[in-house]
């Protein structure tokens, strides 16, 4: 009996040793994300019609129609139709402007730029550069659990200094969560996006069916992707940057460890 118990303990110890050894090596962000831009290599433009709900506080919400136009390498245009006018968020390269109505919290809209920025880069180098621009230290990778599954995390935590982090699914290298630190009203604010309910568009490209946005862990916006059009010829004029003015505000970047 003692011999049998010893064998069981020994086998468990060896098994745990193999499990531990399996996670002793954590791949780099480059290795984790290498398949991601390749999987989207045939995607040049995308038009998405969304149903977006904005939670003004715990008791009030606003439902709007939103159109998202995205080009390769992260240029995009978001249009939200409010009863009192339209709001436009437009990005070209590393410059982002918020114009029209609903511009009081322009800087917090930086969170909206993450999805089109990271999904539509042409190479893993461009993707890593885009993540660095978003405040992610791609030299730091760890593991975590989401819904009971092991996931990779690129970036450092917020304990020592501000910085962004990206949670990445192991199997398909898909973004699952993004957390960044921004400024709002002169104060730091933690912004979080959850990319959920992935499904295939055009039988090839995986896109989240639902995106949830949080401010300091309070639900702020929910966008549900409805109609999706792939590789439509989108006019360049849609992505031209207007001049900054009274109703046109630049969107500041996420804070990073250098700041």
């Amino acid at each position: 009996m003692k011999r049998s118990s010893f064998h069981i303990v020994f086998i468990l110890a060896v098994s745990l040793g193999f499990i531990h050894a399996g996670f002793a090596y954590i791949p780099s962000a480059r290795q984790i994300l290498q398949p991601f831009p390749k999987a989207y290599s045939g995607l040049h433009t995308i038009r998405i019609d969304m149903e977006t709900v904005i939670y003004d506080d715990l008791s009030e919400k606003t439902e709007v129609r939103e159109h998202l136009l995205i080009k390769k390498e992260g240029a995009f245009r978001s249009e939200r139709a409010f009863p009192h006018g339209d709001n436009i968020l437009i990005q070209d390269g590393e410059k982002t402007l918020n114009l029209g109505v609903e511009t009081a919290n322009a800087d917090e809209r930086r969170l909206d730029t993450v999805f089109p920025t990271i999904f539509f880069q042409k190479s893993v180098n461009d993707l890593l550069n885009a993540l660095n621009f978003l405040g992610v230290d791609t030299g730091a990778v760890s593991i975590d659990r989401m819904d009971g599954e092991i996931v990779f995390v690129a970036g450092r935590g917020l304990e020592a200094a501000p910085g962004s982090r990206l949670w990445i699914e192991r199997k398909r290298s898909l973004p699952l969560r993004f957390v960044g630190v921004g400024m709002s009203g002169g104060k730091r604010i933690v912004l979080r996006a959850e990319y959920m309910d992935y499904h295939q568009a055009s039988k090839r490209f995986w896109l989240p069916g639902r995106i949830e946005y949080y401010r300091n862990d309070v639900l702020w916006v929910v966008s549900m992707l409805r109609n999706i059009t792939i590789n439509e010829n989108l006019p360049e004029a849609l992505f031209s940057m207007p001049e900054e003015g009274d109703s046109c505000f630049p969107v500041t970047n996420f804070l990073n460890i250098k700041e």
Side-chain angles (χ1 to χ4, degrees), residues 35-46 72 115 118-122 172-175 198-201 204-208 230-231:
F36 188 65
K38 289 182 179 180
Y40 292 79
S41 60
L43 186 59
H44 305 292
T45 66
I46 186 169
K72 201 72 171 179
F115 167 64
I118 63 180
F119 268 80
F120 298 91
Q121 298 298 329
K122 63 181 181 181
R172 296 172 294 181
S173 298
L174 295 173
Y198 272 92
H199 63 275
Q200 286 182 294
R204 177 180 173 187
F205 310 110
W206 289 94
L207 294 173
I230 301 294
N231 291 339

PDB file of all heavy atoms in Angstrom, residues 35-46 72 115 118-122 172-175 198-201 204-208 230-231:
ATOM      1  N   PRO A  35       1.546  34.796 -36.988  1.00  0.00           N
ATOM      2  CA  PRO A  35       0.467  34.322 -37.885  1.00  0.00           C
ATOM      3  C   PRO A  35      -0.618  35.358 -38.133  1.00  0.00           C
ATOM      4  O   PRO A  35      -1.376  35.234 -39.098  1.00  0.00           O
ATOM      5  CB  PRO A  35      -0.102  33.103 -37.137  1.00  0.00           C
ATOM      6  CG  PRO A  35       0.879  32.792 -36.052  1.00  0.00           C
ATOM      7  CD  PRO A  35       1.546  34.078 -35.713  1.00  0.00           C
ATOM      8  N   PHE A  36      -0.721  36.365 -37.274  1.00  0.00           N
ATOM      9  CA  PHE A  36      -1.871  37.274 -37.316  1.00  0.00           C
ATOM     10  C   PHE A  36      -1.926  38.107 -38.596  1.00  0.00           C
ATOM     11  O   PHE A  36      -2.935  38.060 -39.324  1.00  0.00           O
ATOM     12  CB  PHE A  36      -1.875  38.151 -36.069  1.00  0.00           C
ATOM     13  CG  PHE A  36      -3.111  38.987 -35.913  1.00  0.00           C
ATOM     14  CD1 PHE A  36      -4.337  38.386 -35.712  1.00  0.00           C
ATOM     15  CD2 PHE A  36      -3.049  40.370 -35.972  1.00  0.00           C
ATOM     16  CE1 PHE A  36      -5.490  39.147 -35.567  1.00  0.00           C
ATOM     17  CE2 PHE A  36      -4.185  41.140 -35.832  1.00  0.00           C
ATOM     18  CZ  PHE A  36      -5.409  40.526 -35.638  1.00  0.00           C
ATOM     19  N   PRO A  37      -0.900  38.897 -38.942  1.00  0.00           N
ATOM     20  CA  PRO A  37      -0.984  39.659 -40.198  1.00  0.00           C
ATOM     21  C   PRO A  37      -1.037  38.776 -41.434  1.00  0.00           C
ATOM     22  O   PRO A  37      -1.644  39.156 -42.442  1.00  0.00           O
ATOM     23  CB  PRO A  37       0.282  40.530 -40.168  1.00  0.00           C
ATOM     24  CG  PRO A  37       1.195  39.882 -39.198  1.00  0.00           C
ATOM     25  CD  PRO A  37       0.337  39.194 -38.198  1.00  0.00           C
ATOM     26  N   LYS A  38      -0.434  37.581 -41.374  1.00  0.00           N
ATOM     27  CA  LYS A  38      -0.502  36.670 -42.517  1.00  0.00           C
ATOM     28  C   LYS A  38      -1.936  36.230 -42.772  1.00  0.00           C
ATOM     29  O   LYS A  38      -2.372  36.104 -43.921  1.00  0.00           O
ATOM     30  CB  LYS A  38       0.383  35.449 -42.263  1.00  0.00           C
ATOM     31  CG  LYS A  38       1.886  35.733 -42.313  1.00  0.00           C
ATOM     32  CD  LYS A  38       2.676  34.465 -42.106  1.00  0.00           C
ATOM     33  CE  LYS A  38       4.180  34.730 -42.171  1.00  0.00           C
ATOM     34  NZ  LYS A  38       4.972  33.486 -41.967  1.00  0.00           N
ATOM     35  N   ALA A  39      -2.675  35.980 -41.704  1.00  0.00           N
ATOM     36  CA  ALA A  39      -4.060  35.524 -41.846  1.00  0.00           C
ATOM     37  C   ALA A  39      -4.957  36.590 -42.467  1.00  0.00           C
ATOM     38  O   ALA A  39      -5.996  36.277 -43.043  1.00  0.00           O
ATOM     39  CB  ALA A  39      -4.614  35.105 -40.488  1.00  0.00           C
ATOM     40  N   TYR A  40      -4.543  37.860 -42.362  1.00  0.00           N
ATOM     41  CA  TYR A  40      -5.346  38.965 -42.885  1.00  0.00           C
ATOM     42  C   TYR A  40      -4.706  39.594 -44.120  1.00  0.00           C
ATOM     43  O   TYR A  40      -5.041  40.723 -44.494  1.00  0.00           O
ATOM     44  CB  TYR A  40      -5.538  40.026 -41.793  1.00  0.00           C
ATOM     45  CG  TYR A  40      -6.411  39.550 -40.659  1.00  0.00           C
ATOM     46  CD1 TYR A  40      -5.896  38.715 -39.663  1.00  0.00           C
ATOM     47  CD2 TYR A  40      -7.753  39.895 -40.584  1.00  0.00           C
ATOM     48  CE1 TYR A  40      -6.698  38.252 -38.630  1.00  0.00           C
ATOM     49  CE2 TYR A  40      -8.553  39.444 -39.556  1.00  0.00           C
ATOM     50  CZ  TYR A  40      -8.012  38.611 -38.586  1.00  0.00           C
ATOM     51  OH  TYR A  40      -8.811  38.156 -37.564  1.00  0.00           O
ATOM     52  N   SER A  41      -3.790  38.855 -44.764  1.00  0.00           N
ATOM     53  CA  SER A  41      -3.039  39.413 -45.884  1.00  0.00           C
ATOM     54  C   SER A  41      -3.923  39.797 -47.064  1.00  0.00           C
ATOM     55  O   SER A  41      -3.600  40.693 -47.827  1.00  0.00           O
ATOM     56  CB  SER A  41      -1.962  38.417 -46.344  1.00  0.00           C
ATOM     57  OG  SER A  41      -2.564  37.196 -46.757  1.00  0.00           O
ATOM     58  N   GLY A  42      -5.054  39.124 -47.243  1.00  0.00           N
ATOM     59  CA  GLY A  42      -5.941  39.445 -48.355  1.00  0.00           C
ATOM     60  C   GLY A  42      -6.987  40.483 -48.033  1.00  0.00           C
ATOM     61  O   GLY A  42      -7.866  40.764 -48.853  1.00  0.00           O
ATOM     62  N   LEU A  43      -6.910  41.076 -46.856  1.00  0.00           N
ATOM     63  CA  LEU A  43      -7.892  42.065 -46.420  1.00  0.00           C
ATOM     64  C   LEU A  43      -7.312  43.461 -46.620  1.00  0.00           C
ATOM     65  O   LEU A  43      -6.339  43.838 -45.976  1.00  0.00           O
ATOM     66  CB  LEU A  43      -8.241  41.836 -44.952  1.00  0.00           C
ATOM     67  CG  LEU A  43      -9.356  42.691 -44.357  1.00  0.00           C
ATOM     68  CD1 LEU A  43     -10.651  42.468 -45.121  1.00  0.00           C
ATOM     69  CD2 LEU A  43      -9.545  42.363 -42.887  1.00  0.00           C
ATOM     70  N   HIS A  44      -7.898  44.245 -47.515  1.00  0.00           N
ATOM     71  CA  HIS A  44      -7.379  45.575 -47.848  1.00  0.00           C
ATOM     72  C   HIS A  44      -8.269  46.697 -47.325  1.00  0.00           C
ATOM     73  O   HIS A  44      -7.771  47.720 -46.865  1.00  0.00           O
ATOM     74  CB  HIS A  44      -7.207  45.704 -49.361  1.00  0.00           C
ATOM     75  CG  HIS A  44      -6.340  44.624 -49.942  1.00  0.00           C
ATOM     76  ND1 HIS A  44      -4.994  44.530 -49.679  1.00  0.00           N
ATOM     77  CD2 HIS A  44      -6.641  43.575 -50.755  1.00  0.00           C
ATOM     78  CE1 HIS A  44      -4.485  43.487 -50.314  1.00  0.00           C
ATOM     79  NE2 HIS A  44      -5.465  42.881 -50.966  1.00  0.00           N
ATOM     80  N   THR A  45      -9.563  46.511 -47.422  1.00  0.00           N
ATOM     81  CA  THR A  45     -10.500  47.477 -46.851  1.00  0.00           C
ATOM     82  C   THR A  45     -11.664  46.711 -46.238  1.00  0.00           C
ATOM     83  O   THR A  45     -11.942  45.564 -46.597  1.00  0.00           O
ATOM     84  CB  THR A  45     -11.061  48.458 -47.910  1.00  0.00           C
ATOM     85  OG1 THR A  45     -11.883  47.735 -48.845  1.00  0.00           O
ATOM     86  CG2 THR A  45      -9.933  49.168 -48.639  1.00  0.00           C
ATOM     87  N   ILE A  46     -12.345  47.386 -45.320  1.00  0.00           N
ATOM     88  CA  ILE A  46     -13.525  46.768 -44.716  1.00  0.00           C
ATOM     89  C   ILE A  46     -14.493  47.865 -44.305  1.00  0.00           C
ATOM     90  O   ILE A  46     -14.095  48.929 -43.831  1.00  0.00           O
ATOM     91  CB  ILE A  46     -13.139  45.884 -43.509  1.00  0.00           C
ATOM     92  CG1 ILE A  46     -14.351  45.132 -42.980  1.00  0.00           C
ATOM     93  CG2 ILE A  46     -12.482  46.694 -42.407  1.00  0.00           C
ATOM     94  CD1 ILE A  46     -14.004  44.044 -41.981  1.00  0.00           C
ATOM     95  N   LYS A  72      -6.092  49.215 -45.035  1.00  0.00           N
ATOM     96  CA  LYS A  72      -4.871  48.552 -44.600  1.00  0.00           C
ATOM     97  C   LYS A  72      -3.932  49.562 -43.947  1.00  0.00           C
ATOM     98  O   LYS A  72      -3.881  50.720 -44.335  1.00  0.00           O
ATOM     99  CB  LYS A  72      -4.180  47.908 -45.801  1.00  0.00           C
ATOM    100  CG  LYS A  72      -3.202  46.803 -45.446  1.00  0.00           C
ATOM    101  CD  LYS A  72      -3.904  45.563 -44.982  1.00  0.00           C
ATOM    102  CE  LYS A  72      -2.943  44.395 -44.842  1.00  0.00           C
ATOM    103  NZ  LYS A  72      -3.599  43.180 -44.371  1.00  0.00           N
ATOM    104  N   PHE A 115      -8.783  48.701 -32.193  1.00  0.00           N
ATOM    105  CA  PHE A 115      -9.292  47.640 -33.072  1.00  0.00           C
ATOM    106  C   PHE A 115      -8.841  47.815 -34.520  1.00  0.00           C
ATOM    107  O   PHE A 115      -8.217  46.915 -35.098  1.00  0.00           O
ATOM    108  CB  PHE A 115     -10.817  47.563 -32.966  1.00  0.00           C
ATOM    109  CG  PHE A 115     -11.486  46.742 -34.029  1.00  0.00           C
ATOM    110  CD1 PHE A 115     -11.254  45.381 -34.118  1.00  0.00           C
ATOM    111  CD2 PHE A 115     -12.337  47.335 -34.954  1.00  0.00           C
ATOM    112  CE1 PHE A 115     -11.871  44.617 -35.108  1.00  0.00           C
ATOM    113  CE2 PHE A 115     -12.958  46.588 -35.928  1.00  0.00           C
ATOM    114  CZ  PHE A 115     -12.718  45.226 -36.014  1.00  0.00           C
ATOM    115  N   ILE A 118      -4.696  47.496 -34.869  1.00  0.00           N
ATOM    116  CA  ILE A 118      -3.957  46.240 -34.750  1.00  0.00           C
ATOM    117  C   ILE A 118      -4.446  45.172 -35.721  1.00  0.00           C
ATOM    118  O   ILE A 118      -3.713  44.243 -36.044  1.00  0.00           O
ATOM    119  CB  ILE A 118      -3.993  45.699 -33.308  1.00  0.00           C
ATOM    120  CG1 ILE A 118      -5.406  45.354 -32.868  1.00  0.00           C
ATOM    121  CG2 ILE A 118      -3.367  46.699 -32.353  1.00  0.00           C
ATOM    122  CD1 ILE A 118      -5.483  44.808 -31.452  1.00  0.00           C
ATOM    123  N   PHE A 119      -5.673  45.298 -36.228  1.00  0.00           N
ATOM    124  CA  PHE A 119      -6.196  44.256 -37.119  1.00  0.00           C
ATOM    125  C   PHE A 119      -5.731  44.420 -38.562  1.00  0.00           C
ATOM    126  O   PHE A 119      -5.813  43.473 -39.338  1.00  0.00           O
ATOM    127  CB  PHE A 119      -7.728  44.253 -37.092  1.00  0.00           C
ATOM    128  CG  PHE A 119      -8.306  43.312 -36.078  1.00  0.00           C
ATOM    129  CD1 PHE A 119      -8.363  43.684 -34.747  1.00  0.00           C
ATOM    130  CD2 PHE A 119      -8.767  42.062 -36.444  1.00  0.00           C
ATOM    131  CE1 PHE A 119      -8.891  42.834 -33.801  1.00  0.00           C
ATOM    132  CE2 PHE A 119      -9.297  41.202 -35.501  1.00  0.00           C
ATOM    133  CZ  PHE A 119      -9.354  41.584 -34.177  1.00  0.00           C
ATOM    134  N   PHE A 120      -5.243  45.573 -38.936  1.00  0.00           N
ATOM    135  CA  PHE A 120      -5.056  45.831 -40.356  1.00  0.00           C
ATOM    136  C   PHE A 120      -3.641  46.295 -40.687  1.00  0.00           C
ATOM    137  O   PHE A 120      -3.442  47.213 -41.477  1.00  0.00           O
ATOM    138  CB  PHE A 120      -6.096  46.850 -40.843  1.00  0.00           C
ATOM    139  CG  PHE A 120      -7.493  46.338 -40.686  1.00  0.00           C
ATOM    140  CD1 PHE A 120      -8.206  46.583 -39.535  1.00  0.00           C
ATOM    141  CD2 PHE A 120      -8.076  45.568 -41.665  1.00  0.00           C
ATOM    142  CE1 PHE A 120      -9.486  46.086 -39.370  1.00  0.00           C
ATOM    143  CE2 PHE A 120      -9.355  45.064 -41.516  1.00  0.00           C
ATOM    144  CZ  PHE A 120     -10.065  45.317 -40.364  1.00  0.00           C
ATOM    145  N   GLN A 121      -2.653  45.659 -40.081  1.00  0.00           N
ATOM    146  CA  GLN A 121      -1.256  45.917 -40.422  1.00  0.00           C
ATOM    147  C   GLN A 121      -0.778  44.874 -41.431  1.00  0.00           C
ATOM    148  O   GLN A 121      -1.192  43.718 -41.394  1.00  0.00           O
ATOM    149  CB  GLN A 121      -0.400  45.896 -39.165  1.00  0.00           C
ATOM    150  CG  GLN A 121      -0.765  46.960 -38.137  1.00  0.00           C
ATOM    151  CD  GLN A 121      -0.592  48.367 -38.656  1.00  0.00           C
ATOM    152  OE1 GLN A 121       0.271  48.634 -39.493  1.00  0.00           O
ATOM    153  NE2 GLN A 121      -1.415  49.287 -38.156  1.00  0.00           N
ATOM    154  N   LYS A 122       0.129  45.269 -42.323  1.00  0.00           N
ATOM    155  CA  LYS A 122       0.522  44.392 -43.428  1.00  0.00           C
ATOM    156  C   LYS A 122       1.634  43.416 -43.066  1.00  0.00           C
ATOM    157  O   LYS A 122       1.879  42.459 -43.805  1.00  0.00           O
ATOM    158  CB  LYS A 122       0.950  45.229 -44.631  1.00  0.00           C
ATOM    159  CG  LYS A 122       2.179  46.092 -44.392  1.00  0.00           C
ATOM    160  CD  LYS A 122       2.505  46.917 -45.638  1.00  0.00           C
ATOM    161  CE  LYS A 122       3.751  47.772 -45.413  1.00  0.00           C
ATOM    162  NZ  LYS A 122       4.071  48.587 -46.606  1.00  0.00           N
ATOM    163  N   ARG A 172      -5.273  31.026 -32.176  1.00  0.00           N
ATOM    164  CA  ARG A 172      -5.414  31.787 -33.417  1.00  0.00           C
ATOM    165  C   ARG A 172      -4.690  33.136 -33.392  1.00  0.00           C
ATOM    166  O   ARG A 172      -4.797  33.907 -34.346  1.00  0.00           O
ATOM    167  CB  ARG A 172      -6.900  32.010 -33.723  1.00  0.00           C
ATOM    168  CG  ARG A 172      -7.673  30.736 -33.984  1.00  0.00           C
ATOM    169  CD  ARG A 172      -9.171  30.995 -34.082  1.00  0.00           C
ATOM    170  NE  ARG A 172      -9.727  31.435 -32.807  1.00  0.00           N
ATOM    171  CZ  ARG A 172     -11.004  31.713 -32.595  1.00  0.00           C
ATOM    172  NH1 ARG A 172     -11.865  31.597 -33.596  1.00  0.00           N
ATOM    173  NH2 ARG A 172     -11.436  32.112 -31.406  1.00  0.00           N
ATOM    174  N   SER A 173      -4.012  33.439 -32.297  1.00  0.00           N
ATOM    175  CA  SER A 173      -3.294  34.714 -32.135  1.00  0.00           C
ATOM    176  C   SER A 173      -4.235  35.910 -32.216  1.00  0.00           C
ATOM    177  O   SER A 173      -3.834  37.001 -32.637  1.00  0.00           O
ATOM    178  CB  SER A 173      -2.181  34.861 -33.178  1.00  0.00           C
ATOM    179  OG  SER A 173      -1.221  33.843 -33.038  1.00  0.00           O
ATOM    180  N   LEU A 174      -5.485  35.737 -31.812  1.00  0.00           N
ATOM    181  CA  LEU A 174      -6.462  36.815 -31.900  1.00  0.00           C
ATOM    182  C   LEU A 174      -6.427  37.695 -30.654  1.00  0.00           C
ATOM    183  O   LEU A 174      -6.317  37.187 -29.538  1.00  0.00           O
ATOM    184  CB  LEU A 174      -7.871  36.242 -32.064  1.00  0.00           C
ATOM    185  CG  LEU A 174      -8.147  35.471 -33.353  1.00  0.00           C
ATOM    186  CD1 LEU A 174      -9.532  34.833 -33.288  1.00  0.00           C
ATOM    187  CD2 LEU A 174      -8.045  36.385 -34.560  1.00  0.00           C
ATOM    188  N   PRO A 175      -6.536  39.016 -30.816  1.00  0.00           N
ATOM    189  CA  PRO A 175      -6.628  39.914 -29.655  1.00  0.00           C
ATOM    190  C   PRO A 175      -7.918  39.656 -28.880  1.00  0.00           C
ATOM    191  O   PRO A 175      -8.997  39.553 -29.472  1.00  0.00           O
ATOM    192  CB  PRO A 175      -6.628  41.308 -30.280  1.00  0.00           C
ATOM    193  CG  PRO A 175      -6.068  41.128 -31.649  1.00  0.00           C
ATOM    194  CD  PRO A 175      -6.491  39.757 -32.085  1.00  0.00           C
ATOM    195  N   TYR A 198     -16.066  36.026 -31.490  1.00  0.00           N
ATOM    196  CA  TYR A 198     -15.424  36.004 -32.803  1.00  0.00           C
ATOM    197  C   TYR A 198     -16.195  35.128 -33.786  1.00  0.00           C
ATOM    198  O   TYR A 198     -16.700  34.064 -33.435  1.00  0.00           O
ATOM    199  CB  TYR A 198     -13.991  35.477 -32.684  1.00  0.00           C
ATOM    200  CG  TYR A 198     -12.979  36.569 -32.395  1.00  0.00           C
ATOM    201  CD1 TYR A 198     -12.637  36.896 -31.080  1.00  0.00           C
ATOM    202  CD2 TYR A 198     -12.368  37.265 -33.426  1.00  0.00           C
ATOM    203  CE1 TYR A 198     -11.711  37.888 -30.817  1.00  0.00           C
ATOM    204  CE2 TYR A 198     -11.438  38.252 -33.173  1.00  0.00           C
ATOM    205  CZ  TYR A 198     -11.108  38.568 -31.869  1.00  0.00           C
ATOM    206  OH  TYR A 198     -10.190  39.567 -31.604  1.00  0.00           O
ATOM    207  N   HIS A 199     -16.286  35.601 -35.027  1.00  0.00           N
ATOM    208  CA  HIS A 199     -16.860  34.799 -36.107  1.00  0.00           C
ATOM    209  C   HIS A 199     -16.109  35.126 -37.395  1.00  0.00           C
ATOM    210  O   HIS A 199     -15.393  36.117 -37.479  1.00  0.00           O
ATOM    211  CB  HIS A 199     -18.350  35.065 -36.273  1.00  0.00           C
ATOM    212  CG  HIS A 199     -18.667  36.481 -36.668  1.00  0.00           C
ATOM    213  ND1 HIS A 199     -18.799  37.494 -35.747  1.00  0.00           N
ATOM    214  CD2 HIS A 199     -18.855  37.058 -37.886  1.00  0.00           C
ATOM    215  CE1 HIS A 199     -19.077  38.630 -36.371  1.00  0.00           C
ATOM    216  NE2 HIS A 199     -19.109  38.394 -37.669  1.00  0.00           N
ATOM    217  N   GLN A 200     -16.277  34.293 -38.386  1.00  0.00           N
ATOM    218  CA  GLN A 200     -15.561  34.470 -39.641  1.00  0.00           C
ATOM    219  C   GLN A 200     -16.348  35.354 -40.603  1.00  0.00           C
ATOM    220  O   GLN A 200     -17.539  35.155 -40.808  1.00  0.00           O
ATOM    221  CB  GLN A 200     -15.278  33.125 -40.301  1.00  0.00           C
ATOM    222  CG  GLN A 200     -14.167  32.341 -39.618  1.00  0.00           C
ATOM    223  CD  GLN A 200     -13.871  31.042 -40.329  1.00  0.00           C
ATOM    224  OE1 GLN A 200     -14.712  30.155 -40.351  1.00  0.00           O
ATOM    225  NE2 GLN A 200     -12.679  30.930 -40.895  1.00  0.00           N
ATOM    226  N   ALA A 201     -15.632  36.316 -41.180  1.00  0.00           N
ATOM    227  CA  ALA A 201     -16.197  37.158 -42.221  1.00  0.00           C
ATOM    228  C   ALA A 201     -15.619  36.717 -43.557  1.00  0.00           C
ATOM    229  O   ALA A 201     -14.414  36.502 -43.672  1.00  0.00           O
ATOM    230  CB  ALA A 201     -15.853  38.628 -41.964  1.00  0.00           C
ATOM    231  N   ARG A 204     -13.119  33.573 -44.044  1.00  0.00           N
ATOM    232  CA  ARG A 204     -11.671  33.527 -43.869  1.00  0.00           C
ATOM    233  C   ARG A 204     -11.181  34.361 -42.699  1.00  0.00           C
ATOM    234  O   ARG A 204     -10.357  33.915 -41.921  1.00  0.00           O
ATOM    235  CB  ARG A 204     -10.983  34.000 -45.155  1.00  0.00           C
ATOM    236  CG  ARG A 204      -9.456  34.048 -45.026  1.00  0.00           C
ATOM    237  CD  ARG A 204      -8.794  34.516 -46.299  1.00  0.00           C
ATOM    238  NE  ARG A 204      -7.367  34.697 -46.089  1.00  0.00           N
ATOM    239  CZ  ARG A 204      -6.542  35.223 -46.985  1.00  0.00           C
ATOM    240  NH1 ARG A 204      -7.016  35.614 -48.145  1.00  0.00           N
ATOM    241  NH2 ARG A 204      -5.259  35.356 -46.713  1.00  0.00           N
ATOM    242  N   PHE A 205     -11.675  35.586 -42.560  1.00  0.00           N
ATOM    243  CA  PHE A 205     -11.139  36.524 -41.584  1.00  0.00           C
ATOM    244  C   PHE A 205     -11.969  36.477 -40.302  1.00  0.00           C
ATOM    245  O   PHE A 205     -13.182  36.624 -40.334  1.00  0.00           O
ATOM    246  CB  PHE A 205     -11.127  37.949 -42.150  1.00  0.00           C
ATOM    247  CG  PHE A 205     -10.496  38.049 -43.507  1.00  0.00           C
ATOM    248  CD1 PHE A 205     -11.268  38.312 -44.629  1.00  0.00           C
ATOM    249  CD2 PHE A 205      -9.134  37.882 -43.658  1.00  0.00           C
ATOM    250  CE1 PHE A 205     -10.687  38.404 -45.884  1.00  0.00           C
ATOM    251  CE2 PHE A 205      -8.547  37.981 -44.905  1.00  0.00           C
ATOM    252  CZ  PHE A 205      -9.320  38.240 -46.021  1.00  0.00           C
ATOM    253  N   TRP A 206     -11.280  36.315 -39.174  1.00  0.00           N
ATOM    254  CA  TRP A 206     -11.958  36.308 -37.890  1.00  0.00           C
ATOM    255  C   TRP A 206     -12.099  37.734 -37.370  1.00  0.00           C
ATOM    256  O   TRP A 206     -11.122  38.486 -37.295  1.00  0.00           O
ATOM    257  CB  TRP A 206     -11.178  35.470 -36.884  1.00  0.00           C
ATOM    258  CG  TRP A 206     -11.234  33.999 -37.156  1.00  0.00           C
ATOM    259  CD1 TRP A 206     -10.343  33.254 -37.866  1.00  0.00           C
ATOM    260  CD2 TRP A 206     -12.241  33.086 -36.712  1.00  0.00           C
ATOM    261  NE1 TRP A 206     -10.724  31.929 -37.913  1.00  0.00           N
ATOM    262  CE2 TRP A 206     -11.893  31.803 -37.210  1.00  0.00           C
ATOM    263  CE3 TRP A 206     -13.398  33.224 -35.957  1.00  0.00           C
ATOM    264  CZ2 TRP A 206     -12.663  30.672 -36.961  1.00  0.00           C
ATOM    265  CZ3 TRP A 206     -14.170  32.089 -35.712  1.00  0.00           C
ATOM    266  CH2 TRP A 206     -13.804  30.842 -36.212  1.00  0.00           C
ATOM    267  N   LEU A 207     -13.327  38.116 -37.014  1.00  0.00           N
ATOM    268  CA  LEU A 207     -13.589  39.439 -36.461  1.00  0.00           C
ATOM    269  C   LEU A 207     -14.478  39.295 -35.234  1.00  0.00           C
ATOM    270  O   LEU A 207     -15.339  38.416 -35.172  1.00  0.00           O
ATOM    271  CB  LEU A 207     -14.292  40.329 -37.491  1.00  0.00           C
ATOM    272  CG  LEU A 207     -13.478  40.710 -38.733  1.00  0.00           C
ATOM    273  CD1 LEU A 207     -14.365  41.443 -39.728  1.00  0.00           C
ATOM    274  CD2 LEU A 207     -12.281  41.563 -38.361  1.00  0.00           C
ATOM    275  N   PRO A 208     -14.283  40.167 -34.232  1.00  0.00           N
ATOM    276  CA  PRO A 208     -15.158  40.089 -33.049  1.00  0.00           C
ATOM    277  C   PRO A 208     -16.565  40.543 -33.406  1.00  0.00           C
ATOM    278  O   PRO A 208     -16.751  41.525 -34.124  1.00  0.00           O
ATOM    279  CB  PRO A 208     -14.488  41.052 -32.057  1.00  0.00           C
ATOM    280  CG  PRO A 208     -13.738  42.025 -32.923  1.00  0.00           C
ATOM    281  CD  PRO A 208     -13.288  41.239 -34.120  1.00  0.00           C
ATOM    282  N   ILE A 230     -16.223  43.363 -47.405  1.00  0.00           N
ATOM    283  CA  ILE A 230     -14.777  43.169 -47.536  1.00  0.00           C
ATOM    284  C   ILE A 230     -14.281  43.715 -48.873  1.00  0.00           C
ATOM    285  O   ILE A 230     -14.899  43.503 -49.911  1.00  0.00           O
ATOM    286  CB  ILE A 230     -14.426  41.670 -47.436  1.00  0.00           C
ATOM    287  CG1 ILE A 230     -14.903  41.092 -46.089  1.00  0.00           C
ATOM    288  CG2 ILE A 230     -12.929  41.446 -47.610  1.00  0.00           C
ATOM    289  CD1 ILE A 230     -14.197  41.634 -44.890  1.00  0.00           C
ATOM    290  N   ASN A 231     -13.131  44.419 -48.823  1.00  0.00           N
ATOM    291  CA  ASN A 231     -12.386  44.858 -50.017  1.00  0.00           C
ATOM    292  C   ASN A 231     -13.223  45.683 -50.988  1.00  0.00           C
ATOM    293  O   ASN A 231     -13.116  45.549 -52.203  1.00  0.00           O
ATOM    294  CB  ASN A 231     -11.770  43.656 -50.731  1.00  0.00           C
ATOM    295  CG  ASN A 231     -10.654  43.024 -49.915  1.00  0.00           C
ATOM    296  OD1 ASN A 231     -10.073  43.650 -49.034  1.00  0.00           O
ATOM    297  ND2 ASN A 231     -10.344  41.771 -50.198  1.00  0.00           N
TER     298      ASN A 231
END
